[in-house]
Amino acid sequence: MKKSQIAFCALLALCAAGRVHSAPADVEARVEATLARLTFDEKLGQLWQFSGGQPSEAASSDRSKGTLDPKFLEAVSAGRYGSVIGKRGLENYNAIQRAAMDGIGIPLLIGHDMIHSATTTYPIPLALACAWDESLWERTASAIAVETLALGCNWTFTPMLDVALDARWGRIAEGGGCEPLVTGLMGAAMVRGFQGADMSDGFHIAACAKHYVTYGASFGGRDYNAVEMADSTLRDVYLPPFKMAVDAGVATVMPAFHSYNGVPCSMNSYLLRDILRKELGFDGMTISDWSAVRELLNHGVAGNKADAAVLALNAGIDMEMVSDCYVTTLKAAVDSGRVSMKTIDDAVRNVLRVKYRLGLFDRPTLDAAALANAIDPAANRALARECARKSCVLLKNDDGALPLKKGVKVALLGDLAANEWQMLGCWSTRDLSNFANATLLAGLKADGVDVNYVEAYTLTGRVDLAAVEAAACGADIVVAAFGDYWENSGEGNSSAILELKGDQMKVAEKVKSLGKPLVAVVFGGRPMAFPDLAKTADAILMAWNPGGCGGWGLADVLTGLAEPWGRLTVDMPYATGTCPLYYSRTTTGRPAAITANHPFGHRYTSCYNDAPFVALYPFGYGLMYTTVEYSGEKAVVEGDSVAFSADVTNTGAREANELVQVYVRDEVARIARPRRELKGFKRVALRPGETKRVEIKVPVASLGYTVDGRYAVEPGGFSAWIAPDSDSGRNLHFEISAK
Ligand code: BGC
């Protein structure tokens, strides 16, 4: 397949920013010169990421201040490792790089998962995605980059670009949600933030696009599980975010753990060589996931470590993370001709290229003072608060329950409302000294709210309904924390039950039985199924895992100091059994409709007989404290693009920040197409009463799909919606004519 045929070419046209220029002109010559002087064993060393060599804890409870084992430093000097994983602190980083430069003369890549946190903790990626804000994503990654260096790492294993349609999959927390365009724009912005315009400037780090590819589609939402998928779906849904990250200049790519159409991604040369290298033009380095080369034995495709190493390296995995199949077996594989010397050399070239691009040879050690100077903890906390404000999504707000009125007495309930640790999220720093006491309770107090906190219940355990009643009776309004603990999402945390656990609904019902308005603040690292809470609560704010300044940001929205900004990038289900659930589903031959007589859809149409097949809250959805109306919607083909426009009016009394979204459907195609696909979006600020004409241009080239191995835009009729979410809007029609 030619590059021009790749489905996502047009998505890229929507991605404003260009490639990161980080490669000095002489990189290739220096790579060759370095390669030429290496022994075979030294080459193998470059292909290994070692997980040992952690500082001893004896010196301090802070491991980064512990000392390194001299034997480890000797091995570094001897070139036994191309990379190590884990934070060891800046001084230890410098000790490692000095040992490397004094010895083999090749600095190490030192990587760690700085996903939404290095020192400061920002909301989880799924939450950040709900901000739909490229500048925020880039600024956050850039702030994490500097803190990462200060902790002694020059490489992060993020962004996670797995389109995730299934809320059962715990790793949905780590990415942008169910939409390729949003995931790709966020990923590219994060790559720009981590790597900067010049990755070697001493203030940026290497990024890693992962998990390549289709990991988010694992059967049953069960982590590490197999994926079977049509090539067209791979190309139209799962590859576009990776293409966008590669075009943004991402330095490294990590293949996923699972098997794709029977072939594990760690030995999948179709994905790694044919697509990633040849079609996408990626010239950086690939690294396996944690011991994933060794796991080829568990997949049942390699009989021993030697087979695993041969399969992975020949397929295009340059560096092996943690397991030691490469270093222990590749010598014999070369001797027996199972692996060519050129394959080894090419992998080493890829590793060295990233090291040169990162400037490690020219600046192997870090400048502690310069980094300390570049880090402004107060500014980072302000950014984390902004992120928390912009990531939460207002799902319900009956009778203006929110914002909290000035002077009202608030009863704040639930263990999560006063628990700083629970604001964090699956990849946050665990170093409590970096936290800022940003619970919801602290945030509300800081924003001047008259708040009485009573724990009264924990999410999964004990509930004291008498305490709920006493607190509610003494207040004008109840704000209560619901949802799930962050430890239940993220890697290795697939869930078969997304409904609210424990006695949470008893709390909601008790409050309502007392006639008090109930504001539910729902925490969690994934979409959850809470139709009963949606009926009972007067207002619902989806808080996700809002990060180390989370409570402050949430309080700003609850009090109205900030307007609600977030919009869902996933669909919220009615019931676990309806997952995977995503707005871009196909209509089927028997489209179902929800009506008064058939609240779940009519029998013999594509629905369930015991729960709605649609979303409780759909992709794109999120309320503000004001209302808007759309009128005069138009879709006009203008040469190579379609101009979508509408008058958007703020019909309420507060400021609006409307997220205008454009969805398109190919009306008659050669294969069944999604009922809607997001093609563009724009944020528009409106004063009360103000109307603005909003125009969003979408390239015609983005309206196609892949069939029979070819991406094409087919002439004919298209439906379009210019709308505030993926379920609403007036149906427009436009025609694409044959060229
Ligand atoms: C995860 C990766 C992560 C790696 C290193 C693996 O278990 O799947 O996402 O980057 O560990 O920590």
Side-chain angles (χ1 to χ4, degrees), residues 85 113 157 171 210-211 254 257 289-290 321 427 491:
I85 185 168
D113 296 275
F157 306 121
R171 303 201 81 169
K210 70 182 190 186
H211 306 86
M254 181 191 294
F257 281 125
D289 204 338
W290 185 285
M321 181 188 278
W427 278 113
E491 185 177 355

Side-chain angles (χ1 to χ4, degrees), residues 441-526:
L441 174 60
L444 288 172
K445 278 190 179 160
D447 284 349
V449 177
D450 178 359
V451 54
N452 172 34
Y453 174 67
V454 180
E455 182 180 274
Y457 64 96
T458 62
L459 287 184
T460 49
R462 162 193 77 67
V463 53
D464 179 347
L465 288 178
V468 171
E469 180 164 347
C473 288
D476 304 312
I477 186 166
V478 175
V479 177
F482 295 97
D484 202 0
Y485 301 112
W486 64 257
E487 289 93 337
N488 293 328
S489 58
E491 185 177 355
N493 272 307
S494 295
S495 293
I497 299 169
L498 304 177
E499 283 69 19
L500 295 180
K501 297 183 181 117
D503 287 332
Q504 297 185 46
M505 274 315 296
K506 283 192 184 156
V507 174
E509 278 152 13
K510 169 57 86 182
V511 173
K512 284 316 293 173
S513 73
L514 300 168
K516 296 287 177 180
L518 171 65
V519 174
V521 181
V522 182
F523 293 88
R526 54 151 58 85

Side-chain angles (χ1 to χ4, degrees), residues 48-129:
W48 192 24
Q49 182 179 64
F50 181 58
S51 61
Q54 300 293 340
S56 68
E57 285 177 86
S60 151
S61 59
D62 176 359
R63 281 168 73 94
S64 69
K65 297 201 178 75
T67 48
L68 296 171
D69 182 345
K71 287 210 177 73
F72 166 67
L73 288 175
E74 271 168 37
V76 167
S77 275
R80 294 260 311 277
Y81 325 119
S83 171
V84 289
I85 185 168
K87 316 178 251 191
R88 292 168 181 76
L90 190 141
E91 288 311 319
N92 286 329
Y93 176 102
N94 285 346
I96 291 170
Q97 301 296 32
R98 274 195 289 267
M101 294 314 282
D102 291 347
I104 184 180
I106 303 181
L108 273 71
L109 286 164
I110 303 187
H112 192 69
D113 296 275
M114 307 296 194
I115 310 284
H116 59 107
S117 167
T119 305
T120 310
T121 298
Y122 300 90
I124 54 168
L126 178 60
L128 268 180

Side-chain angles (χ1 to χ4, degrees), residues 90 146-147 149-150 202-203 366-377 380:
L90 190 141
V146 187
E147 288 189 348
L149 288 164
F203 298 99
L366 294 169
D367 181 340
L371 286 169
N373 231 350
I375 296 172
D376 178 347
N380 287 351

Side-chain angles (χ1 to χ4, degrees), residues 88 103 258 322 349 366 591:
R88 292 168 181 76
H258 69 285
V322 179
R349 281 187 180 98
L366 294 169

Side-chain angles (χ1 to χ4, degrees), residues 103-293:
I104 184 180
I106 303 181
L108 273 71
L109 286 164
I110 303 187
H112 192 69
D113 296 275
M114 307 296 194
I115 310 284
H116 59 107
S117 167
T119 305
T120 310
T121 298
Y122 300 90
I124 54 168
L126 178 60
L128 268 180
C130 294
W132 298 63
D133 187 331
E134 287 178 79
S135 141
L136 191 71
W137 297 328
E138 185 171 337
R139 282 188 286 137
T140 305
S142 161
I144 293 175
V146 187
E147 288 189 348
T148 296
L149 288 164
L151 293 175
C153 296
N154 51 30
W155 183 19
T156 180
F157 306 121
T158 196
M160 187 187 99
L161 302 175
D162 301 316
V163 170
L165 309 183
D166 197 328
R168 292 172 297 178
W169 191 50
R171 303 201 81 169
I172 197 169
E174 297 176 53
C178 73
E179 167 53 49
L181 177 59
V182 177
T183 303
L185 289 173
M186 176 160 148
M190 289 175 76
V191 169
R192 295 196 300 273
F194 285 127
Q195 299 189 175
D198 175 3
M199 192 162 69
S200 68
D201 65 5
F203 298 99
H204 290 89
I205 59 176
C208 181
K210 70 182 190 186
H211 306 86
Y212 183 76
V213 57
T214 70
Y215 188 25
S218 53
F219 282 132
R222 182 157 57 81
D223 211 355
Y224 318 119
N225 205 4
V227 170
E228 303 273 337
M229 185 182 286
D231 195 64
S232 52
T233 309
L234 165 74
R235 289 170 177 282
D236 293 347
V237 178
Y238 290 89
L239 274 176
F242 285 93
K243 168 72 174 157
M244 291 162 84
V246 169
D247 282 4
V250 71
T252 67
V253 169
M254 181 191 294
F257 281 125
H258 69 285
S259 62
Y260 171 77
N261 292 345
V263 184
C265 296
S266 307
M267 53 169 272
N268 199 315
S269 60
Y270 171 62
L271 297 176
L272 289 166
R273 292 207 186 274
D274 299 349
I275 297 185
L276 182 66
R277 295 281 178 196
K278 292 193 194 130
E279 289 184 27
L280 306 196
F282 176 66
D283 68 352
M285 177 194 121
T286 57
I287 171 148
S288 80
D289 204 338
W290 185 285
S291 288
V293 176

